Amino acid sequence: RQSERGEIYRENARRLQSAGKAYPCYCTQEELEASKQRALAEGRTPVYEGTCRDLSLQQIEAREAEGRRPALRFRVPQGEVTFQDLLHGFVRLPPGVLGDFIIVRSDGSAGFNFSVVVDDATMGITHVIRGEDHLTNTARHVLLFDALGYPAPVYLHHSLLMGPDGAKMSKRHGATAVRDYRDMGYLPQTITNYLALLSWSPPEGREVLELEELVRLFDIGDLSASPAVFDRQRLDWLNGKHLRAMSKYGLMARRCLPL
């Protein structure tokens, strides 16, 4: 648990600061919000403007005297950021997209982007599979892995699950927890089968597949980069197929199982 790993984060943060790859930031929330609003009014993407990037010792002392508690920001290198993704291929972010980001908050707690990198590195994580809405975060992560001298894991960012209206899947599209579908009578093998078919098609083109077949046929490298649409009617059809394939004893046993 991250609450028990504070010293690990602090040690890695000290390494970055000692190497000049991180610096204290004394900007207040009000100042940061004002900067954000200026950028939006001017049609610019809001990123940290680097106000505290090159403070002199006297400027730091003045801010300390005001009682400001600094956060610690990562000094993002100039130039574009690139990394390889198993699904999207070579990903490139142009200069200026990220901005120097906070790795340690003013209360001393590690920020999300910093803690997950340290966790992945110290726990030996080799592959990270997550939604494509994390692509920008991954750019931050590969920079941190490089700055800390850790090998970066292999990344794959899959497409997001959309509702029938084309918007990101949410509770307004209906139940979203797997347990909710189980409680409504959908079979576990139906849910597994259906989820596997999102952004993927089996080589033979068949849709009704048992778990053993899915294990044999599924290849994450064959995923489509296009968003997948959650289709309740298709799920109902698939559930009917699996129900009809069950023996009467299997159906009876299911009816007797406690929720």
PDB file of all heavy atoms in Angstrom, residues 79-85 88-98 135-136 138-140 142-143 157:
ATOM      1  N   GLY A  79      12.078  19.365 -25.758  1.00  0.00           N
ATOM      2  CA  GLY A  79      11.962  18.490 -26.924  1.00  0.00           C
ATOM      3  C   GLY A  79      10.761  17.577 -26.835  1.00  0.00           C
ATOM      4  O   GLY A  79      10.033  17.545 -25.836  1.00  0.00           O
ATOM      5  N   GLU A  80      10.542  16.803 -27.900  1.00  0.00           N
ATOM      6  CA  GLU A  80       9.401  15.903 -27.940  1.00  0.00           C
ATOM      7  C   GLU A  80       9.646  14.672 -27.070  1.00  0.00           C
ATOM      8  O   GLU A  80      10.786  14.322 -26.771  1.00  0.00           O
ATOM      9  CB  GLU A  80       9.099  15.477 -29.382  1.00  0.00           C
ATOM     10  CG  GLU A  80      10.168  14.627 -30.033  1.00  0.00           C
ATOM     11  CD  GLU A  80       9.789  14.216 -31.446  1.00  0.00           C
ATOM     12  OE1 GLU A  80       8.830  14.794 -32.011  1.00  0.00           O
ATOM     13  OE2 GLU A  80      10.429  13.302 -31.976  1.00  0.00           O
ATOM     14  N   VAL A  81       8.537  14.042 -26.661  1.00  0.00           N
ATOM     15  CA  VAL A  81       8.608  12.827 -25.857  1.00  0.00           C
ATOM     16  C   VAL A  81       8.075  11.680 -26.718  1.00  0.00           C
ATOM     17  O   VAL A  81       7.018  11.795 -27.335  1.00  0.00           O
ATOM     18  CB  VAL A  81       7.771  12.955 -24.568  1.00  0.00           C
ATOM     19  CG1 VAL A  81       7.916  11.702 -23.716  1.00  0.00           C
ATOM     20  CG2 VAL A  81       8.173  14.197 -23.794  1.00  0.00           C
ATOM     21  N   THR A  82       8.812  10.575 -26.759  1.00  0.00           N
ATOM     22  CA  THR A  82       8.405   9.440 -27.592  1.00  0.00           C
ATOM     23  C   THR A  82       8.464   8.148 -26.789  1.00  0.00           C
ATOM     24  O   THR A  82       9.247   8.015 -25.849  1.00  0.00           O
ATOM     25  CB  THR A  82       9.316   9.298 -28.825  1.00  0.00           C
ATOM     26  OG1 THR A  82      10.664   9.053 -28.394  1.00  0.00           O
ATOM     27  CG2 THR A  82       9.291  10.566 -29.676  1.00  0.00           C
ATOM     28  N   PHE A  83       7.617   7.205 -27.170  1.00  0.00           N
ATOM     29  CA  PHE A  83       7.680   5.864 -26.603  1.00  0.00           C
ATOM     30  C   PHE A  83       6.964   4.906 -27.546  1.00  0.00           C
ATOM     31  O   PHE A  83       6.205   5.317 -28.431  1.00  0.00           O
ATOM     32  CB  PHE A  83       7.072   5.798 -25.197  1.00  0.00           C
ATOM     33  CG  PHE A  83       5.617   6.166 -25.114  1.00  0.00           C
ATOM     34  CD1 PHE A  83       4.632   5.190 -25.218  1.00  0.00           C
ATOM     35  CD2 PHE A  83       5.217   7.484 -24.923  1.00  0.00           C
ATOM     36  CE1 PHE A  83       3.287   5.515 -25.134  1.00  0.00           C
ATOM     37  CE2 PHE A  83       3.871   7.817 -24.847  1.00  0.00           C
ATOM     38  CZ  PHE A  83       2.906   6.829 -24.949  1.00  0.00           C
ATOM     39  N   GLN A  84       7.206   3.623 -27.357  1.00  0.00           N
ATOM     40  CA  GLN A  84       6.624   2.585 -28.202  1.00  0.00           C
ATOM     41  C   GLN A  84       5.447   1.943 -27.485  1.00  0.00           C
ATOM     42  O   GLN A  84       5.530   1.610 -26.306  1.00  0.00           O
ATOM     43  CB  GLN A  84       7.679   1.524 -28.542  1.00  0.00           C
ATOM     44  CG  GLN A  84       7.283   0.567 -29.643  1.00  0.00           C
ATOM     45  CD  GLN A  84       7.281   1.226 -31.029  1.00  0.00           C
ATOM     46  OE1 GLN A  84       7.964   2.217 -31.240  1.00  0.00           O
ATOM     47  NE2 GLN A  84       6.523   0.672 -31.951  1.00  0.00           N
ATOM     48  N   ASP A  85       4.349   1.782 -28.210  1.00  0.00           N
ATOM     49  CA  ASP A  85       3.155   1.145 -27.666  1.00  0.00           C
ATOM     50  C   ASP A  85       2.825  -0.079 -28.524  1.00  0.00           C
ATOM     51  O   ASP A  85       2.922  -0.015 -29.762  1.00  0.00           O
ATOM     52  CB  ASP A  85       1.983   2.135 -27.682  1.00  0.00           C
ATOM     53  CG  ASP A  85       0.720   1.542 -27.092  1.00  0.00           C
ATOM     54  OD1 ASP A  85       0.550   1.605 -25.865  1.00  0.00           O
ATOM     55  OD2 ASP A  85      -0.101   0.995 -27.863  1.00  0.00           O
ATOM     56  N   HIS A  88      -0.552   1.047 -30.507  1.00  0.00           N
ATOM     57  CA  HIS A  88      -0.518   2.300 -31.261  1.00  0.00           C
ATOM     58  C   HIS A  88       0.798   2.525 -31.998  1.00  0.00           C
ATOM     59  O   HIS A  88       0.913   3.461 -32.783  1.00  0.00           O
ATOM     60  CB  HIS A  88      -0.783   3.479 -30.320  1.00  0.00           C
ATOM     61  CG  HIS A  88      -2.155   3.491 -29.742  1.00  0.00           C
ATOM     62  ND1 HIS A  88      -3.230   4.108 -30.350  1.00  0.00           N
ATOM     63  CD2 HIS A  88      -2.650   2.930 -28.610  1.00  0.00           C
ATOM     64  CE1 HIS A  88      -4.311   3.944 -29.622  1.00  0.00           C
ATOM     65  NE2 HIS A  88      -3.991   3.229 -28.558  1.00  0.00           N
ATOM     66  N   GLY A  89       1.774   1.681 -31.732  1.00  0.00           N
ATOM     67  CA  GLY A  89       3.068   1.854 -32.391  1.00  0.00           C
ATOM     68  C   GLY A  89       3.883   2.978 -31.760  1.00  0.00           C
ATOM     69  O   GLY A  89       3.864   3.164 -30.539  1.00  0.00           O
ATOM     70  N   PHE A  90       4.581   3.731 -32.588  1.00  0.00           N
ATOM     71  CA  PHE A  90       5.444   4.803 -32.106  1.00  0.00           C
ATOM     72  C   PHE A  90       4.588   6.021 -31.764  1.00  0.00           C
ATOM     73  O   PHE A  90       3.906   6.588 -32.617  1.00  0.00           O
ATOM     74  CB  PHE A  90       6.463   5.165 -33.188  1.00  0.00           C
ATOM     75  CG  PHE A  90       7.537   6.104 -32.722  1.00  0.00           C
ATOM     76  CD1 PHE A  90       8.512   5.681 -31.825  1.00  0.00           C
ATOM     77  CD2 PHE A  90       7.589   7.407 -33.189  1.00  0.00           C
ATOM     78  CE1 PHE A  90       9.512   6.542 -31.400  1.00  0.00           C
ATOM     79  CE2 PHE A  90       8.589   8.268 -32.772  1.00  0.00           C
ATOM     80  CZ  PHE A  90       9.553   7.834 -31.876  1.00  0.00           C
ATOM     81  N   VAL A  91       4.602   6.429 -30.486  1.00  0.00           N
ATOM     82  CA  VAL A  91       3.807   7.562 -30.018  1.00  0.00           C
ATOM     83  C   VAL A  91       4.731   8.754 -29.804  1.00  0.00           C
ATOM     84  O   VAL A  91       5.784   8.637 -29.186  1.00  0.00           O
ATOM     85  CB  VAL A  91       3.071   7.220 -28.707  1.00  0.00           C
ATOM     86  CG1 VAL A  91       2.254   8.417 -28.217  1.00  0.00           C
ATOM     87  CG2 VAL A  91       2.161   6.009 -28.908  1.00  0.00           C
ATOM     88  N   ARG A  92       4.324   9.892 -30.328  1.00  0.00           N
ATOM     89  CA  ARG A  92       5.147  11.098 -30.233  1.00  0.00           C
ATOM     90  C   ARG A  92       4.319  12.247 -29.670  1.00  0.00           C
ATOM     91  O   ARG A  92       3.234  12.536 -30.172  1.00  0.00           O
ATOM     92  CB  ARG A  92       5.691  11.465 -31.614  1.00  0.00           C
ATOM     93  CG  ARG A  92       6.472  12.762 -31.638  1.00  0.00           C
ATOM     94  CD  ARG A  92       6.892  13.157 -33.053  1.00  0.00           C
ATOM     95  NE  ARG A  92       7.956  12.303 -33.555  1.00  0.00           N
ATOM     96  CZ  ARG A  92       7.807  11.419 -34.523  1.00  0.00           C
ATOM     97  NH1 ARG A  92       6.618  11.247 -35.085  1.00  0.00           N
ATOM     98  NH2 ARG A  92       8.829  10.687 -34.937  1.00  0.00           N
ATOM     99  N   LEU A  93       4.821  12.898 -28.620  1.00  0.00           N
ATOM    100  CA  LEU A  93       4.187  14.097 -28.076  1.00  0.00           C
ATOM    101  C   LEU A  93       5.107  15.282 -28.347  1.00  0.00           C
ATOM    102  O   LEU A  93       6.287  15.249 -27.986  1.00  0.00           O
ATOM    103  CB  LEU A  93       3.939  13.973 -26.568  1.00  0.00           C
ATOM    104  CG  LEU A  93       2.618  13.312 -26.146  1.00  0.00           C
ATOM    105  CD1 LEU A  93       2.648  11.822 -26.430  1.00  0.00           C
ATOM    106  CD2 LEU A  93       2.338  13.574 -24.673  1.00  0.00           C
ATOM    107  N   PRO A  94       4.595  16.319 -28.982  1.00  0.00           N
ATOM    108  CA  PRO A  94       5.441  17.466 -29.320  1.00  0.00           C
ATOM    109  C   PRO A  94       5.886  18.237 -28.079  1.00  0.00           C
ATOM    110  O   PRO A  94       5.294  18.089 -26.999  1.00  0.00           O
ATOM    111  CB  PRO A  94       4.529  18.319 -30.204  1.00  0.00           C
ATOM    112  CG  PRO A  94       3.141  17.928 -29.823  1.00  0.00           C
ATOM    113  CD  PRO A  94       3.208  16.482 -29.440  1.00  0.00           C
ATOM    114  N   PRO A  95       6.926  19.053 -28.209  1.00  0.00           N
ATOM    115  CA  PRO A  95       7.407  19.840 -27.060  1.00  0.00           C
ATOM    116  C   PRO A  95       6.306  20.749 -26.516  1.00  0.00           C
ATOM    117  O   PRO A  95       5.457  21.238 -27.251  1.00  0.00           O
ATOM    118  CB  PRO A  95       8.554  20.669 -27.660  1.00  0.00           C
ATOM    119  CG  PRO A  95       8.969  19.927 -28.888  1.00  0.00           C
ATOM    120  CD  PRO A  95       7.726  19.271 -29.419  1.00  0.00           C
ATOM    121  N   GLY A  96       6.333  20.954 -25.213  1.00  0.00           N
ATOM    122  CA  GLY A  96       5.406  21.881 -24.584  1.00  0.00           C
ATOM    123  C   GLY A  96       4.059  21.318 -24.207  1.00  0.00           C
ATOM    124  O   GLY A  96       3.226  22.029 -23.635  1.00  0.00           O
ATOM    125  N   VAL A  97       3.816  20.054 -24.506  1.00  0.00           N
ATOM    126  CA  VAL A  97       2.505  19.467 -24.203  1.00  0.00           C
ATOM    127  C   VAL A  97       2.368  19.133 -22.722  1.00  0.00           C
ATOM    128  O   VAL A  97       1.298  19.289 -22.137  1.00  0.00           O
ATOM    129  CB  VAL A  97       2.270  18.201 -25.057  1.00  0.00           C
ATOM    130  CG1 VAL A  97       1.037  17.441 -24.591  1.00  0.00           C
ATOM    131  CG2 VAL A  97       2.128  18.581 -26.527  1.00  0.00           C
ATOM    132  N   LEU A  98       3.457  18.695 -22.099  1.00  0.00           N
ATOM    133  CA  LEU A  98       3.369  18.214 -20.724  1.00  0.00           C
ATOM    134  C   LEU A  98       3.517  19.317 -19.685  1.00  0.00           C
ATOM    135  O   LEU A  98       2.676  19.499 -18.819  1.00  0.00           O
ATOM    136  CB  LEU A  98       4.434  17.131 -20.490  1.00  0.00           C
ATOM    137  CG  LEU A  98       4.299  15.867 -21.338  1.00  0.00           C
ATOM    138  CD1 LEU A  98       5.400  14.877 -20.984  1.00  0.00           C
ATOM    139  CD2 LEU A  98       2.935  15.219 -21.118  1.00  0.00           C
ATOM    140  N   LEU A 135      -2.462   7.704 -22.233  1.00  0.00           N
ATOM    141  CA  LEU A 135      -1.309   7.902 -23.120  1.00  0.00           C
ATOM    142  C   LEU A 135      -0.438   9.074 -22.672  1.00  0.00           C
ATOM    143  O   LEU A 135       0.800   8.982 -22.662  1.00  0.00           O
ATOM    144  CB  LEU A 135      -1.785   8.114 -24.560  1.00  0.00           C
ATOM    145  CG  LEU A 135      -2.046   6.852 -25.389  1.00  0.00           C
ATOM    146  CD1 LEU A 135      -2.748   7.203 -26.689  1.00  0.00           C
ATOM    147  CD2 LEU A 135      -0.747   6.115 -25.662  1.00  0.00           C
ATOM    148  N   THR A 136      -1.059  10.189 -22.298  1.00  0.00           N
ATOM    149  CA  THR A 136      -0.285  11.344 -21.857  1.00  0.00           C
ATOM    150  C   THR A 136       0.442  11.046 -20.555  1.00  0.00           C
ATOM    151  O   THR A 136       1.598  11.451 -20.366  1.00  0.00           O
ATOM    152  CB  THR A 136      -1.199  12.578 -21.681  1.00  0.00           C
ATOM    153  OG1 THR A 136      -1.875  12.844 -22.911  1.00  0.00           O
ATOM    154  CG2 THR A 136      -0.381  13.805 -21.305  1.00  0.00           C
ATOM    155  N   THR A 138       1.548   8.166 -19.688  1.00  0.00           N
ATOM    156  CA  THR A 138       2.663   7.285 -20.016  1.00  0.00           C
ATOM    157  C   THR A 138       3.865   8.087 -20.487  1.00  0.00           C
ATOM    158  O   THR A 138       5.015   7.734 -20.191  1.00  0.00           O
ATOM    159  CB  THR A 138       2.245   6.266 -21.091  1.00  0.00           C
ATOM    160  OG1 THR A 138       1.190   5.463 -20.558  1.00  0.00           O
ATOM    161  CG2 THR A 138       3.399   5.362 -21.485  1.00  0.00           C
ATOM    162  N   ALA A 139       3.633   9.179 -21.207  1.00  0.00           N
ATOM    163  CA  ALA A 139       4.739  10.047 -21.608  1.00  0.00           C
ATOM    164  C   ALA A 139       5.476  10.573 -20.369  1.00  0.00           C
ATOM    165  O   ALA A 139       6.712  10.628 -20.339  1.00  0.00           O
ATOM    166  CB  ALA A 139       4.217  11.205 -22.452  1.00  0.00           C
ATOM    167  N   ARG A 140       4.725  10.945 -19.353  1.00  0.00           N
ATOM    168  CA  ARG A 140       5.351  11.396 -18.104  1.00  0.00           C
ATOM    169  C   ARG A 140       6.122  10.248 -17.448  1.00  0.00           C
ATOM    170  O   ARG A 140       7.221  10.440 -16.912  1.00  0.00           O
ATOM    171  CB  ARG A 140       4.286  11.926 -17.146  1.00  0.00           C
ATOM    172  CG  ARG A 140       3.534  13.155 -17.649  1.00  0.00           C
ATOM    173  CD  ARG A 140       2.556  13.667 -16.585  1.00  0.00           C
ATOM    174  NE  ARG A 140       1.890  14.881 -17.009  1.00  0.00           N
ATOM    175  CZ  ARG A 140       0.689  14.921 -17.577  1.00  0.00           C
ATOM    176  NH1 ARG A 140       0.020  13.785 -17.774  1.00  0.00           N
ATOM    177  NH2 ARG A 140       0.143  16.065 -17.937  1.00  0.00           N
ATOM    178  N   VAL A 142       7.509   7.499 -18.804  1.00  0.00           N
ATOM    179  CA  VAL A 142       8.766   7.092 -19.443  1.00  0.00           C
ATOM    180  C   VAL A 142       9.873   8.098 -19.148  1.00  0.00           C
ATOM    181  O   VAL A 142      11.050   7.730 -19.031  1.00  0.00           O
ATOM    182  CB  VAL A 142       8.581   6.884 -20.969  1.00  0.00           C
ATOM    183  CG1 VAL A 142       7.628   5.743 -21.251  1.00  0.00           C
ATOM    184  CG2 VAL A 142       8.123   8.151 -21.661  1.00  0.00           C
ATOM    185  N   LEU A 143       9.508   9.375 -18.999  1.00  0.00           N
ATOM    186  CA  LEU A 143      10.509  10.374 -18.621  1.00  0.00           C
ATOM    187  C   LEU A 143      11.036  10.105 -17.217  1.00  0.00           C
ATOM    188  O   LEU A 143      12.237  10.229 -16.958  1.00  0.00           O
ATOM    189  CB  LEU A 143       9.901  11.779 -18.691  1.00  0.00           C
ATOM    190  CG  LEU A 143       9.591  12.334 -20.083  1.00  0.00           C
ATOM    191  CD1 LEU A 143       8.893  13.687 -19.962  1.00  0.00           C
ATOM    192  CD2 LEU A 143      10.871  12.481 -20.907  1.00  0.00           C
ATOM    193  N   HIS A 157      -1.913   0.408 -24.762  1.00  0.00           N
ATOM    194  CA  HIS A 157      -3.075   1.214 -24.407  1.00  0.00           C
ATOM    195  C   HIS A 157      -4.243   0.819 -25.307  1.00  0.00           C
ATOM    196  O   HIS A 157      -4.235   1.099 -26.509  1.00  0.00           O
ATOM    197  CB  HIS A 157      -2.755   2.705 -24.567  1.00  0.00           C
ATOM    198  CG  HIS A 157      -1.730   3.191 -23.581  1.00  0.00           C
ATOM    199  ND1 HIS A 157      -0.382   2.997 -23.774  1.00  0.00           N
ATOM    200  CD2 HIS A 157      -1.863   3.828 -22.396  1.00  0.00           C
ATOM    201  CE1 HIS A 157       0.288   3.513 -22.753  1.00  0.00           C
ATOM    202  NE2 HIS A 157      -0.593   4.016 -21.904  1.00  0.00           N
TER     203      HIS A 157
END
